[in-house]
Amino acid sequence: MLICRSGCIPLAVAVSGANAHDSLALKPLIRGIPAIRSRRGPRRRRPVKLRADKAHFSAEHVTWLRGRGLIPRITRPGIESSERLGRHRWKIERSIAWLFGYRRLTIRYERTGSHFLAFLGLAATLTCYKKLTKITT
């Protein structure tokens, strides 16, 4: 699971079992987002909008996100098509591709999820570093 900024910078990563539904990881990932600090404009603690696919849509999640000050942009099943989300989804897919560009993550060799999560966090840190040094230079 991955949450990233619009510039494809990973904010939070998580590992879950293959038999767990995606919506179960939404709240822990949102809680794991670090504070955002910017040089320009008013300072924010969290992102403003959250885009997600149909698996994360439920009335409970929408009210919980609004209570935390996030505007949920979640595709509603049976009402909206996923094509509108596709304009933003490629950013997540590209970030996942960058993370799995590290050879250690392509095949899961570790027996425990905590070891894989540590390598995933290291890959996210390196991805952030590369993206941020590219922006400042």
Side-chain angles (χ1 to χ4, degrees), residues 1 5 10 13 20 28 44 58 64 75 80 95 97 109 129 133 135:
M1 305 288 170
R5 286 186 57 190
V13 293
R44 295 180 291 156
S58 71
W64 185 79
T75 307
E80 298 171 335
S95 299
Y109 298 105
Y129 176 74
T133 55
I135 292 171

Side-chain angles (χ1 to χ4, degrees), residues 58-85:
S58 71
E60 176 192 352
H61 284 135
V62 171
T63 54
W64 185 79
L65 289 169
R66 286 186 180 144
R68 293 189 62 95
L70 290 166
I71 300 170
R73 303 276 191 222
I74 303 174
T75 307
R76 296 176 290 179
I79 298 173
E80 298 171 335
S81 72
S82 296
E83 292 176 9
R84 293 184 61 201
L85 186 62

Side-chain angles (χ1 to χ4, degrees), residues 27-43:
K27 289 181 183 180
L29 273 176
I30 297 295
R31 288 188 196 112
I33 297 174
I36 296 174
R37 294 190 175 100
S38 64
R39 293 182 184 167
R40 292 180 269 160
R43 300 220 169 179

Side-chain angles (χ1 to χ4, degrees), residues 1 13-15 99-100 105 115-125:
M1 305 288 170
V13 293
V15 176
L99 290 178
F100 284 99
L105 297 176
H115 293 167
F116 185 75
L117 182 61
F119 282 116
L120 190 61
L122 183 62
T125 303

Side-chain angles (χ1 to χ4, degrees), residues 3-59:
I3 292 183
C4 70
R5 286 186 57 190
S6 59
C8 301
I9 297 174
L11 295 177
V13 293
V15 176
S16 65
N19 59 350
H21 196 268
D22 290 346
S23 64
L24 298 176
L26 182 67
K27 289 181 183 180
L29 273 176
I30 297 295
R31 288 188 196 112
I33 297 174
I36 296 174
R37 294 190 175 100
S38 64
R39 293 182 184 167
R40 292 180 269 160
R43 300 220 169 179
R44 295 180 291 156
R45 299 274 312 156
R46 302 273 179 240
V48 177
K49 296 178 189 173
L50 175 80
R51 298 189 199 294
D53 57 1
K54 294 177 186 181
H56 298 96
F57 183 80
S58 71

